[in-house]
Amino acid sequence: MIRISRNWTIVIVTFLLAIVAAIVAMGLGSVTLSIQDILATVFSTSSKAVNDTIIWDIRLPRVLLALIIGANIAISGALLQAVMGNPLADPGLTGVTSGAAACVLVIMLAAPKYTQFIPLAAFVGGLVAASIVYALAWRRNGISPITIILSGVAVNALCGGVIGCLTILYSDRLPGAVQWLNGSLAAKGNKALFMVFPYAMAGWIFSIFAIRKANIIRLGEQVASNLGENVNRIRILLSLLAVFLSAISVAAIGMIGFVGLVVPHMARLIVGSDYKYMLPMSMALGALVLLLADTGGRTLFAPLDIPAGILMAVIGAPYFLYLMRRRTF
């Protein structure tokens, strides 16, 4: 008989909760569908064309996109926290999100004919921003946690200035970008899902191979060096993976804050700091949290559709202050 550890049981249960939440989310909206209707439509046993349109063209792509993006950002945050040795590091704080958003917005507003380069632009923008923060925070004896925060604030302000200038210069094209800036999953459809899915799969596969390296680097630079590991190479590889996962998420739905900060903390509290459990737990929790935020945004204030990025900011900001209060960094 196969025995499953407590931590793996919790991880599996969380994944199952995300699946249940996804099924429930597909039933909620302006037209309420029962679980039987959803399952009948998904398994092609329903003859209602309207249900096919609602599920296949609108709600299923949106739900899957929320799950994928939530998982991506949570994994990205967990990896950055290992690399920088700072529990407050996340794609938003380290400038990855704003750097990627600024570059994407350049294409969306200034060069809309080249939208096929949005994923590449997001990756380059996130990488440049993270490199600046990383370089500014670097000290001879390692990375200064406080400097990471201050550098991140500066880079975010710079990118925010670029975004502000673009919105003024191209105000006539802004309506199409407003929802994206706020991290909305509304009207994304299958196009965004098919765009992000292959990249996400590649990132998740590489994340599995990164677990051992993340465990080594979180032990500290000296311990990693004593184990014969090239610390700088590990940092670069894990950072590239974190930026990649975050950048493709920004390219797909815009700026989502605090998932990369809050979720890894929740995962660490539940299953501990071992990345063998913490990383898949972050993935499952990130998917679940962003799905709940998106579902709440489009149902609690219906017919208004509040972007998930705004709800995450409302939830995440108090949690960030709580962490600052606890002085856990």
Side-chain angles (χ1 to χ4, degrees):
M1 181 178 178
I2 299 175
R3 299 186 64 179
I4 302 176
S5 68
R6 169 188 172 275
N7 283 346
W8 277 123
T9 302
I10 294 173
V11 171
I12 292 170
V13 168
T14 308
F15 273 110
L16 293 176
L17 283 175
I19 293 173
V20 172
I23 295 172
V24 174
M26 282 192 287
L28 300 176
S30 56
V31 177
T32 303
L33 299 177
S34 66
I35 292 178
Q36 290 80 5
D37 289 333
I38 296 168
L39 295 178
T41 304
V42 170
F43 293 105
S44 303
T45 57
S46 171
S47 59
K48 296 181 179 179
V50 65
N51 287 357
D52 284 346
T53 301
I54 292 173
I55 294 297
W56 288 110
D57 295 337
I58 301 174
R59 293 185 188 170
L60 183 59
R62 181 167 181 162
V63 164
L64 291 178
L65 203 55
L67 294 172
I68 292 171
I69 298 298
N72 284 351
I73 301 175
I75 293 173
S76 176
L79 292 175
L80 287 174
Q81 288 175 11
V83 169
M84 298 192 172
N86 188 332
L88 293 184
D90 85 319
L93 190 67
T94 54
V96 175
T97 301
S98 58
C103 285
V104 170
L105 209 58
V106 168
I107 291 183
M108 290 180 70
L109 297 180
K113 292 182 180 178
Y114 301 100
T115 53
Q116 69 271 26
F117 294 113
I118 282 180
L120 177 62
F123 180 68
V124 172
L127 190 60
V128 170
S131 299
I132 294 173
V133 172
Y134 193 85
L136 292 174
W138 177 257
R139 296 291 182 270
R140 295 183 62 182
N141 58 347
I143 297 175
S144 165
I146 296 298
T147 313
I148 285 179
I149 297 173
L150 298 177
S151 304
V153 170
V155 170
N156 279 325
L158 174 63
C159 295
V162 173
I163 292 172
C165 288
L166 288 169
T167 56
I168 293 173
L169 291 173
Y170 299 95
S171 57
D172 56 321
R173 302 174 185 175
L174 193 58
V178 168
Q179 289 291 317
W180 179 85
L181 276 172
N182 288 318
S184 172
L185 287 100
K188 294 300 179 185
N190 287 309
K191 183 179 179 181
L193 177 63
F194 293 146
M195 186 275 286
V196 77
F197 182 70
Y199 293 112
M201 283 295 295
W204 296 346
I205 292 171
F206 281 111
S207 297
I208 294 173
F209 293 104
I211 287 175
R212 179 177 172 273
K213 299 297 184 185
N215 268 332
I216 291 174
I217 200 71
R218 76 180 175 84
L219 296 176
E221 186 171 340
Q222 189 61 50
V223 175
S225 298
N226 292 340
L227 292 173
E229 298 287 345
N230 187 323
V231 176
N232 288 331
R233 183 187 298 170
I234 293 176
R235 280 190 171 133
I236 291 172
L237 292 176
L238 295 186
S239 297
L240 285 174
L241 180 56
V243 171
F244 174 76
L245 286 168
S246 181
I248 61 170
S249 303
V250 172
I253 68 167
M255 300 172 70
I256 299 286
F258 293 106
V259 174
L261 170 68
V262 173
V263 170
H265 270 281
M266 295 168 62
R268 196 174 288 109
L269 287 173
I270 297 171
V271 298
S273 298
D274 187 341
Y275 272 66
K276 181 173 68 175
Y277 307 111
M278 206 276 268
L279 209 63
M281 189 65 192
S282 296
M283 181 181 184
L285 266 181
L288 179 61
V289 166
L290 189 58
L291 175 63
L292 293 177
D294 180 59
T295 305
R298 67 182 174 84
T299 56
L300 293 177
F301 307 99
L304 297 177
D305 192 333
I306 308 296
I310 292 178
L311 279 190
M312 282 310 306
V314 171
I315 298 170
Y319 190 76
F320 180 81
L321 295 174
Y322 165 72
L323 292 177
M324 297 283 287
R325 180 76 176 174
R326 285 186 59 190
R327 299 175 186 271
T328 56
F329 59 97

